């Protein structure tokens, strides 16, 4: 911070007029583009027409476009964004004081909307394009429930039907998530279910399974392609989702610029990669172009460590192997996280964009165990006032670690992290943590080897 | 709105520098001051010394002071306020469109903090004065749980112990509320309990009772006066609480002034009166002084209708009759709302300040039934994106009613209401509503007559 800059407020808000008018496509800046989706039968790059039975047309165009730098945000979506955006970039003065660190900590808080997370940024976009295409409804999966809630809100806004397959363990641990979706008129089914062919097969092969995002995706895709007037939408992993989530990064960039703050470390939790990919988009561009020398860190759970312990290869996006193949860091589509894993970040793979950036050495990755994550969450809550989601708390954990390193070295680094959402629906997990019943789980090498050995063979 | 005014944004935010630096005391403007608290034994006005075993000294000074116009907000409290304030004043464009009304609807949204409501505004003030007095901890009661959560956060921030008596029906309906309080280190007991003399007496007299705020207050007061280093704090009803909550009204006034908006109708839900009293403070001053010609409407549940069906008289503030007597609109301290009553607004009486203003004809009051409140809540959630608390939804219901009247008459009125909080912990009630299991309850005249007949006789 230069000496002439004004004092930085607790919360940096943009004016509505300063909100982004276009999404930024990080693929435009990437020297090595993410690998294309492949047809699971022919192993040839998927063409737009092949994707049309599953996805909305305009979203397919966004998905396949590595070259367009900016996509204009339609006015209808910008109107909706104004209901809960711009989101604040918060200077964590109280956390800094509690840690006694010279670091300056900032977090972009995406939890101040009823869906409770950043997922709404892409949900409203996907619902908009579905409506524009004249569809009757959409299907989707949800893990921790944030995406399902966000999509329910978005569909309600545009008058679309919304059918959600919710990973069974979350459905059972988060009874109130279903009720919020019901407020918005959604139909919620625990997955795996008897309502689809693939669900029945998974239940037969894995009796008593608590489900996974991969299973739920298969069911939602099957439901979409077998129901006239429906398409499938996805809350993470896909290029289009990272595109929509760039609104997080663009706002963060604009807020930092108001006070001449240059980030030294940018941290985000990573499951499928939607939040991280959105948060880092403009900063990664500057890093690729040599204009920014910042560390960018993905934080993943030790119980589902796709970047830190997976392989970079083509894999199925879903357990039922009905989706296109994507090249990504993956644990294998058959990987199912331990049932004691709280919250989201349960996906076996990672966004192709982030996988490529990681493979290119432009991004770091660390994995953290969940009891340490909840310790960080509670520490944060007590001084910053916000009850964080378990997912977001992965980023908090590493931000605190980095701030404590600054305390050792005396460095006044600017640490920016994404606080993706609130933990109001995660209190079963908090209760376990308080009762000392929460345990850590790290898959064995043998377990990972088993699921990774089932990757498809691509010539 | 004058033709030269800029277009009004979806959310009007103040700068941090524009946040109030002092609370406004509406009693200063009142021509008829609220009646003093009376000693329950002597029926003489309570002196500060008599209140000191129960309350913190500086809070007693605020409680008894009808003459000071402004109380400076200590810097420590202003620092905390900046963690979650200023709160937005939202223009409900989407709701207006859905209602097809010419009215302009605004709501002051106090739910964007982890306690989920406006209660934090007074909690942090009361915790601050307790800390300043060198106390070890505080006791309190909580109904729906909002106040208990807010106080837990505030006590955690200042390192105070926090002992919460939670109305039993809420304790059982809202298991996660307890867990949030636990994140912040509070000790939560369902009330009535066996831990106090008065709790044991109430349980003996009313076996199976689901509790009431009046019971829980008695227990919390007993616990405070019988534990060295503790005092009792209260989240509503008291003059000091309305004083702290004036920050809501002052921010609302400043936000409206930015766009030259003059309110025609101001609406707030009313249980003990903390939100309403805070929201209306500066507007009531202008109304008393003849500078504003706005209707001010208190909305209460038909199942606990202190203003619309109570009597204006001295009564006990608690079921155990250990507190001072207050002159207020009351249903009698023995009144216990029906167990089917969802959420807060369960108190048998009403703030002495608001009672006097209502008696002076400066304020209107209406009562609404809870199924109509949940209909309004869902309608609001679907277009404005925020899942409202049942309490707040009482104000939504009447704001919608007034906006629809404007549709009939074609009037372009400015309607301002307080959206006090979010409904994340009220999903049991939403579920009942969705399942058609929610019923309305209106106490019979005979029931009210019975509890009112037990008012103390004051010469």
């Amino acid at each position: 911070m230069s000496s002439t800059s004004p004092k930085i407020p607790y919360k940096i808000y943009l004016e509505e007029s300063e909100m982004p008018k276009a999404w930024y496509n990080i693929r435009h800046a990437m020297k090595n583009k993410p690998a294309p989706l492949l047809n699971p039968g022919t192993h040839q790059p998927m063409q737009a027409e092949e994707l049309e039975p599953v996805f909305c047309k305009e979203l397919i165009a966004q998905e396949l476009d590595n070259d367009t730098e900016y996509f204009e945000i339609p006015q209808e979506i910008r109107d909706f964004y104004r209901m809960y955006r711009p989101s604040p970039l918060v200077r964590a003065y109280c956390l800094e004081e509690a840690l006694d660190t010279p670091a300056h900590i900032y977090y972009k808080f995406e939890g101040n909307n009823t869906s409770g997370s950043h997922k709404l940024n892409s949900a409203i976009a996907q619902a908009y394009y579905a409506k524009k295409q004249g569809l009757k409804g959409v299907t989707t999966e949800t893990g921790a429930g944030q995406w399902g809630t966000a999509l329910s809100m978005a569909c309600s806004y545009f008058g679309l039907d919304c059918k959600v397959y919710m990973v069974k363990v979350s459905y059972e641990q988060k009874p109130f998530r279903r009720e919020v979706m019901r407020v918005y008129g959604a139909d919620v089914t625990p997955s795996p279910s008897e309502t689809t062919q693939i669900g029945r097969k998974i239940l037969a092969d894995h009796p008593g399974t608590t489900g996974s995002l991969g299973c739920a995706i298969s069911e939602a895709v099957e439901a979409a392609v077998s129901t006239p007037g429906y398409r499938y939408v996805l809350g993470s992993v896909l290029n289009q989702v990272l595109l929509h989530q760039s609104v997080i990064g663009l706002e963060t960039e604009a807020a930092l610029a108001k006070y001449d703050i240059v980030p030294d470390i940018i941290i985000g939790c990573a499951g499928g990669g939607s939040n991280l990919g959105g948060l880092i988009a403009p900063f990664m561009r500057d890093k690729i172009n040599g204009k920014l020398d910042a560390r960018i860190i993905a934080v993943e759970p030790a119980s589902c460590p796709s970047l830190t312990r997976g392989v970079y290869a083509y894999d199925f996006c879903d357990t039922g192997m009905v989706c296109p193949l994507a090249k990504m860091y993956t644990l294998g589509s058959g990987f199912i996280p331990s049932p004691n894993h709280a919250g989201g970040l349960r996906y076996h793979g990672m966004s192709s964009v982030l996988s490529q950036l990681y493979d290119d050495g432009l991004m770091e990755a660390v994995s953290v165990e969940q009891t340490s994550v909840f310790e960080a969450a509670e520490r944060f809550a007590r001084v910053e006032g916000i009850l964080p989601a378990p997912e977001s708390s992965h980023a908090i954990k590493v931000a605190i670690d980095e701030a404590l390193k600054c305390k050792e070295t005396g460095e006044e680094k600017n640490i920016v992290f994404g606080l993706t959402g609130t933990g109001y629906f995660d209190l079963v997990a908090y209760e376990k943590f308080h009762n000392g019943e929460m345990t850590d789980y790290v898959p064995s090498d043998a377990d990972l080897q088993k699921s990774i050995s089932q990757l498809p063979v691509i010539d």
Side-chain angles (χ1 to χ4, degrees), chain A residues 82-98:
Chain A
R82 287 194 292 181
M83 277 171 49
Y84 68 101
R85 307 200 68 84
S87 70
L89 182 72
V90 184
R91 171 75 184 269
Y93 284 115
C94 298
L95 180 61
E96 291 170 19
E97 191 183 331

Side-chain angles (χ1 to χ4, degrees), chain A residues 189-358:
Chain A
T189 306
S191 168
S193 78
E194 298 282 351
T195 68
T196 64
Q197 284 187 25
I198 189 68
R200 291 189 290 273
K201 181 172 186 310
I202 291 167
L203 283 171
D205 293 350
H206 304 276
T209 178
T210 54
S212 71
L213 268 185
C215 300
I217 292 172
S218 299
E219 290 205 84
V221 171
E222 182 184 324
V225 298
S226 62
T227 314
Y230 277 69
R231 291 295 185 282
Y232 166 72
V233 297
L234 179 63
S236 191
V237 182
L238 295 175
N239 299 339
Q240 61 190 261
V241 178
L242 270 69
L243 176 70
H244 305 148
Q245 295 295 357
S246 69
V247 70
I248 303 173
L250 294 167
E251 282 188 12
T252 303
E253 180 188 38
L256 291 172
K258 273 182 186 270
Y259 294 91
D260 298 331
I261 303 157
V262 178
D264 298 298
I265 307 176
I266 302 166
I267 301 166
C269 62
S274 70
N275 143 68
L276 183 68
L279 173 65
I280 69 175
F283 304 105
M284 184 58 84
R285 174 198 61 212
D286 290 351
K287 186 166 180 173
I288 290 171
N289 295 335
K291 293 181 183 164
L292 179 70
D293 181 26
R295 293 172 60 204
I296 295 178
I297 307 176
V299 189
E300 57 185 16
S303 54
C304 192
S306 56
L307 286 174
T308 51
R309 296 180 67 199
V311 294
Y312 189 34
Y314 268 103
D315 194 7
F316 294 99
C317 292
D318 62 319
T319 311
M321 306 181 182
V322 301
C323 291
L325 301 174
K327 190 175 179 192
M328 55 186 179
Y329 276 85
T330 179
L331 302 169
S333 65
F335 179 82
I336 294 185
S338 159
N340 89 337
H341 173 115
L345 312 181
R346 304 171 61 83
Y347 189 60
H348 66 274
M350 180 60 65
S351 142
S352 289
V353 166
L354 294 183
S355 293
Q356 186 62 47
L357 292 167
Y358 179 59

